[in-house]
Amino acid sequence: MPQATATVADPADESSPDGPADARPADARPADARGATAGSDFAPLLRAVRDQGLLERRTDRYVLGIAANLLALGAVVTGLVLVGDSWWSLLLALPLAVLWTRTAFVAHDAGHAQISGDRRTSRLIALVHANLLLGMNEAWWNDKHVRHHANPNHIDKDPDVGVGALVWTQKQAAQREGFARWLTRNQARLFFPMLLLEGIALKIYGFQFLRRQPLRERAVSALLLTAHVALYATLLLSTLSPGKAIVFALVLHALFGLHLGLAFAPNHKGMEMPDPDGERWGHLQRQVLTSRNVRGAVLTDWFLGGLNYQIEHHLFPSMPRPHLRLAQPLVRAHCAGIGMPYAETGLIESYRQALAHMHDVGEPLR
């Protein structure tokens, strides 16, 4: 299974609609193979960003961040053991859900080669953080995420806007029947409640994906996913009664799914969707017009894991998270200079726009 480090680590080659021309890490390819074509709108921006060193990795920052997150996870687990078989233990589900989301952000960044340029190191970090600590199959995530980055909001190529529990176009909505039709009619008001199920769904998707992995990768993934379940169950059942353990697990996964959904929801929902039968967009147009940034300060950056700089992240997937804020003025100025819209809004407004789009999609069914 190809890793995101090989497929979306740097801007896609515009000669291919689905990603780079080869499977080597982007930094190992010649500059003309990992940037835009010399005459494209993206090439000057790529040069400016590279000249400022913003594509250089910040391994030191990631080492400190990962260490702090692991220590915090250990502190919450210790607190759970010390509190023991009490309903007060449920209070620890909130900080644990927040830390699980930080863990997911690390796995995401490792998959994009933001932490290390070495594929084995990146995959090891992703396996530990996703499979072992979260019980989420990193191979499933990478497979899905690679296709999303190559063609964001493309109805035929981006799995994030494919037909699922939710739909994203009125054409998709018109084909819904039975319970799915009722769900689509009400999907805007049901969106946040449905996120409460996402934490459990991520685990299920990961186990289902095992059958699609090569035998060796399947064995490693299955071992780590099983180890997560075993360790997690042992921790809860050794500190809580079975009833409290089940409630704690449900609350934790609900909060985790909600937090993760809140981080990803503002990024593309309600933004431009390329016409599958229309002219193929270049890299800059494909990534900027389909993405939305969220304004904010340090707290917003932390809460959204840097994904609030979604435009910069999509233009430069291997750019380390600490550099996204620094790249934003360059990207905004470049877009203004060529007359390309640059979408940026507040956090609450981003959710309003996403929900408004989902509401409009279901409008013909009401």
Side-chain angles (χ1 to χ4, degrees):
M1 181 60 58
Q3 298 300 302
T5 52
T7 314
V8 292
D10 247 342
D13 179 0
E14 290 195 357
S15 65
S16 167
D18 298 315
D22 61 39
R24 286 176 291 160
D27 288 349
R29 299 198 303 273
D32 59 349
R34 54 190 166 94
T37 56
S40 75
D41 290 334
F42 180 62
L45 177 60
L46 177 60
R47 285 194 296 270
V49 166
R50 185 181 289 128
D51 289 346
Q52 292 201 15
L54 297 180
L55 294 179
E56 297 177 6
R57 293 177 177 84
R58 294 293 305 276
T59 305
D60 54 340
R61 285 283 297 272
Y62 275 106
V63 168
L64 291 175
I66 289 172
N69 188 63
L70 292 176
L71 287 173
L73 284 169
V76 174
V77 170
T78 301
L80 188 61
V81 173
L82 293 177
V83 173
D85 188 18
S86 168
W87 287 110
W88 289 107
S89 296
L90 287 178
L91 295 178
L92 294 174
L94 178 58
L96 188 53
V98 171
L99 294 173
W100 267 19
T101 306
R102 307 302 107 195
T103 304
F105 290 152
V106 172
H108 168 271
D109 293 0
H112 279 296
Q114 293 179 20
I115 303 173
S116 170
D118 181 74
R119 289 187 65 190
R120 291 185 177 181
T121 301
S122 295
R123 183 161 189 257
L124 178 60
I125 295 172
L127 282 170
V128 170
H129 285 79
N131 293 49
L132 182 60
L133 294 180
L134 297 179
M136 185 177 73
N137 192 338
E138 58 87 31
W140 165 77
W141 172 258
N142 274 337
D143 174 76
K144 178 175 178 287
H145 205 54
V146 159
R147 290 181 283 137
H148 160 70
H149 263 267
N151 292 281
N153 269 14
H154 192 293
I155 200 66
D156 293 334
K157 298 178 180 180
D158 183 359
D160 286 356
V161 292
V163 175
L166 305 173
V167 295
W168 308 105
T169 69
Q170 291 188 352
K171 182 178 179 179
Q172 291 174 331
Q175 300 171 0
R176 306 283 264 182
E177 297 180 354
F179 175 73
R181 190 176 181 88
W182 175 86
L183 192 64
T184 299
R185 283 203 305 267
N186 300 281
Q187 63 180 8
R189 70 184 66 178
L190 294 175
F191 177 68
F192 288 117
M194 290 174 66
L195 287 180
L196 300 175
L197 303 175
E198 187 66 14
I200 295 175
L202 292 175
K203 285 181 165 59
I204 295 173
Y205 297 149
F207 275 100
Q208 290 176 337
F209 192 79
L210 288 173
R211 66 172 70 98
R212 294 179 52 188
Q213 294 181 248
L215 184 60
R216 186 174 180 180
E217 287 190 11
R218 183 191 312 165
V220 173
S221 295
L223 176 63
L224 292 174
L225 291 175
T226 304
H228 166 82
V229 173
L231 291 171
Y232 182 61
T234 299
L235 171 65
L236 293 187
L237 293 175
S238 63
T239 55
L240 301 170
S241 65
K244 293 188 183 72
I246 292 174
V247 173
F248 185 94
L250 290 175
V251 171
L252 171 59
H253 282 81
L255 293 174
F256 171 58
L258 180 62
H259 188 358
L260 206 57
L262 289 173
F264 283 92
N267 300 341
H268 303 281
K269 308 312 179 192
M271 295 303 297
E272 292 279 352
M273 301 186 74
D275 182 358
D277 301 319
E279 181 182 356
R280 188 174 72 84
W281 292 356
H283 179 70
L284 187 73
Q285 187 178 21
R286 184 166 60 242
Q287 306 299 344
V288 173
L289 297 184
T290 62
S291 303
R292 176 193 294 112
N293 274 19
V294 176
R295 286 190 296 268
V298 176
L299 183 59
T300 304
D301 293 359
W302 178 84
F303 180 74
L304 299 180
L307 297 178
N308 46 311
Y309 303 105
Q310 189 67 195
I311 295 174
E312 288 71 29
H313 171 57
H314 261 257
L315 287 172
F316 308 101
S318 69
M319 181 180 289
R321 196 189 311 173
H323 288 173
L324 294 172
R325 173 183 284 271
L326 302 178
Q328 185 183 36
L330 295 175
V331 176
R332 186 194 287 122
H334 182 74
C335 289
I338 63 174
M340 181 171 290
Y342 181 96
E344 186 178 26
T345 186
L347 182 61
I348 302 302
E349 175 62 16
S350 72
Y351 294 138
R352 190 201 67 77
Q353 292 179 12
L355 292 174
H357 173 72
M358 285 186 275
H359 181 79
D360 290 344
V361 167
E363 179 65 31
L365 304 186
R366 287 192 290 274

